[in-house]
């Protein structure tokens, strides 16, 4: 009826406004992270950072060839951003993925071994950026008396010796260089969907842990904590394949260029929301960070950022694959270079 159509139109505008503000709240926190400590006050209500060991041992998980189901269907999902729509499935070749994200401690080894400065692990344009920025370690780290620290939102300098089990937050360029150093690569968007939302028996889940609405024990999101937590802290949030932290702590970098799905239609009320960024310079991010609201946690949601922005709450994990594969993502084809895990 006309009344129902008007109500649905109102709902979509209302949802757009709410989600847009929630996204920008997180963006403001990236800016807040860059402020000097003297301008910050940490409220007493915010809990202290979580320090401790990982509760899970790191291991690669083999994912056999199978389908990933990507994109939203307007008939079953009334609201979503325009880049989410275009439901389709992708046949994903077999791959192995680490069950845990790369940690601060592991990235520190990349830095202290001298390999962070080795151009052979970087794309040419990324290494030129590194040199122009005079980067010797990630932007959100500090160094004093040969000891390294990572900065929190409120300017606290946490010794990496203490937070070594946190997922490391770095730019896409740095994540890609680390992966090359390890003889690996980053996940693609279809691979993320396969490992997060399917099961070994072929079923589909709305969330990695199943179909229950996100709860505190599933992951670190919703600003319960204003910092990441040790990897593997939320075992009840692991996927059916045994992969942890796919949602929470930080957005997950992928190697997939942000591009439209088949039959993409710009949103009538915000036509430039996605289309302005289909220029080949942004990469898809999936999941959620510690600052992401529960409202934004859904399988079809796509975040994106440029490859050299260093202040994202963005983590990554390693994928290993023996043969060169070509993976089709919508109308974009991305070739992935063969990578074999090296002993290190």
């Amino acid at each position: 009826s006309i009344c129902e159509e008007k109500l649905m139109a109102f709902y979509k505008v209302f949802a757009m406004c709410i989600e847009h503000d929630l996204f920008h709240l997180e963006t403001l926190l990236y800016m807040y992270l860059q402020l000097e400590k003297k301008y910050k006050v940490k409220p007493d209500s915010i809990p202290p950072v979580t320090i401790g060991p990982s509760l899970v041992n790191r291991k690669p998980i083999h994912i056999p060839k199978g389908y990933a189901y990507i994109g939203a269907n307007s008939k079953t999902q009334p609201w979503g951003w325009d880049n989410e729509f275009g439901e389709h499935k992708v046949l994903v070749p077999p791959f192995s993925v680490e069950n845990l994200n790369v940690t601060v401690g592991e990235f520190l080894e990349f830095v202290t071994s001298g390999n962070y400065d080795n151009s052979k692990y970087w794309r040419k344009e990324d290494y030129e950026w590194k040199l122009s920025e005079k980067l010797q370690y990630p932007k959100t780290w500090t160094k004093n008396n040969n000891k390294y620290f990572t900065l929190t939102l409120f300017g606290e300098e946490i010794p990496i010796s203490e937070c070594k089990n946190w997922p490391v937050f770095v730019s896409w360029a740095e994540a890609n260089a680390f992966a090359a150093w390890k003889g690996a690569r980053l996940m693609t968007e279809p691979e993320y969907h396969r490992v997060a939302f399917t099961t070994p028996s072929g079923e589909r889940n709305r969330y990695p842990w199943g179909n229950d609405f996100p709860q505190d024990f599933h992951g670190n999101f919703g600003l319960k904590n204003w910092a990441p937590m040790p990897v593997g802290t939320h075992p009840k949030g692991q996927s059916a394949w045994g992969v942890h932290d796919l949602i929470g702590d930080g957005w997950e970098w992928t190697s997939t260029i942000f591009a439209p799905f088949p039959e993409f239609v710009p949103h009538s009320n915000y036509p430039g929301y996605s289309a302005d960024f289909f220029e080949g310079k942004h990469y898809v991010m999936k999941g959620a960070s510690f600052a992401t609201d529960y409202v934004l946690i859904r399988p079809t949601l796509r975040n994106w950022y440029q490859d050299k922005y260093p202040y994202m709450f963005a983590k990554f994990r390693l994928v290993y694959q023996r043969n060169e594969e070509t993976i089709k993502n919508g109308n974009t084809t991305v070739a992935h270079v063969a990578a074999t895990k090296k002993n290190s």
Side-chain angles (χ1 to χ4, degrees):
S1 68
I2 295 177
C3 183
E4 289 176 336
E5 290 177 1
K6 288 184 176 180
L7 283 173
M8 180 57 69
F10 175 79
Y11 161 73
K12 290 180 178 180
V13 172
F14 184 74
M16 174 184 290
C17 293
I18 293 294
E19 291 197 3
H20 188 266
D21 282 357
L22 290 173
F23 269 124
H24 278 288
L25 171 63
E26 191 164 340
T27 305
L28 286 172
L29 291 179
Y30 304 153
M31 299 168 66
Y32 185 76
L33 177 64
Q34 300 171 58
L35 285 176
E36 294 181 49
K37 185 177 181 180
K38 64 183 180 182
Y39 299 119
K40 302 178 182 181
V41 176
K42 183 177 181 180
D44 294 337
S45 60
I46 292 179
V49 298
T50 302
I51 301 297
S54 171
L55 302 178
V56 179
N57 292 324
R58 180 178 300 280
K59 63 180 180 180
I61 304 291
H62 177 68
I63 310 297
K65 179 180 179 180
Y67 283 103
Y69 302 88
I70 304 175
N73 186 324
S74 59
K75 294 180 181 179
T76 57
Q77 182 173 314
W79 159 252
W81 295 98
D82 52 13
N83 65 75
E84 296 180 56
F85 290 98
E87 186 180 37
H88 61 290
K89 64 181 181 179
V90 177
L91 184 60
V92 181
F95 65 100
S96 293
V97 60
E98 293 207 339
N99 64 329
L100 299 174
N101 290 113
V102 173
T103 65
V104 172
E106 290 166 335
F107 204 88
L108 177 62
E109 182 185 352
F110 183 41
V111 171
T112 57
S113 66
N115 287 293
Y116 186 84
D117 294 322
N118 193 330
S119 63
K120 76 176 184 179
Y121 299 119
W122 299 73
R123 296 186 310 179
K124 183 176 183 295
E125 63 268 32
D126 296 342
Y127 193 70
E128 290 174 352
W129 163 76
K130 176 189 175 302
L131 292 178
S132 68
E133 293 290 321
K134 300 179 180 178
L135 291 179
Q136 296 179 311
Y137 43 81
K139 280 268 192 180
T140 55
W141 290 15
T142 60
K143 183 180 180 183
N144 188 13
N145 293 327
N146 289 321
K147 293 183 179 179
Y148 292 85
F149 303 80
T150 189
L151 293 173
T152 68
L153 267 175
F154 297 98
E156 301 159 299
E157 293 184 324
I158 309 297
I160 287 181
S161 59
E162 296 180 13
C163 65
K164 63 183 180 181
N165 292 309
W166 286 2
V168 67
F169 290 172
V170 292
S171 66
W172 185 96
E174 290 167 304
N176 192 57
F178 181 96
W181 175 54
K182 287 293 186 179
R185 60 173 176 82
L186 306 181
M187 271 201 299
T188 66
E189 185 176 16
E191 286 169 343
Y192 177 93
H193 276 263
R194 175 130 174 83
V195 78
F197 306 121
T198 71
T199 73
S201 60
E203 299 171 332
R204 297 170 62 179
N205 288 333
R206 180 166 177 78
Y207 305 104
W209 52 84
N211 295 304
D212 294 336
F213 188 79
Q215 302 291 325
D216 289 354
F217 52 75
H218 288 134
N220 180 20
F221 37 74
L223 283 178
K224 300 188 303 292
N225 302 281
W226 290 65
M229 303 176 76
V231 296
T233 296
H234 299 88
K236 290 185 178 180
Q238 66 181 296
S239 77
W241 300 95
V243 179
H244 292 252
D245 306 321
L246 287 159
I247 295 179
D249 279 322
W251 294 92
E252 192 107 5
W253 279 120
T254 77
S255 62
T256 299
I257 295 287
F258 183 56
F261 289 150
E263 302 176 8
F264 169 79
V265 177
H267 199 293
S268 59
N269 291 320
Y270 199 162
Y273 176 76
S274 303
D276 287 352
F277 300 94
F278 293 151
E279 83 292 61
K281 297 180 180 179
H282 290 74
Y283 287 84
V284 174
M285 314 178 79
K286 296 293 296 184
S289 81
F290 66 82
T292 306
D293 192 88
Y294 294 79
V295 170
L296 296 173
I297 298 175
R298 59 177 177 268
T300 59
L301 190 79
R302 307 170 83 200
N303 199 357
W304 66 92
Y305 245 88
Q306 293 193 42
D307 53 4
K308 298 175 185 65
Y309 186 73
Y311 299 107
M312 284 285 301
F313 306 146
K315 59 185 183 176
F316 67 101
R317 72 184 72 232
L318 301 181
V319 166
Y320 305 99
Q321 197 162 16
R322 292 183 180 278
N323 302 312
E324 184 177 287
E325 299 286 357
T326 298
I327 299 175
K328 292 183 178 179
N329 173 25
N331 61 358
T332 303
T333 301
V334 184
H336 298 278
V337 179
T340 303
K341 184 176 182 180
K342 73 175 183 180
N343 296 322
S344 61

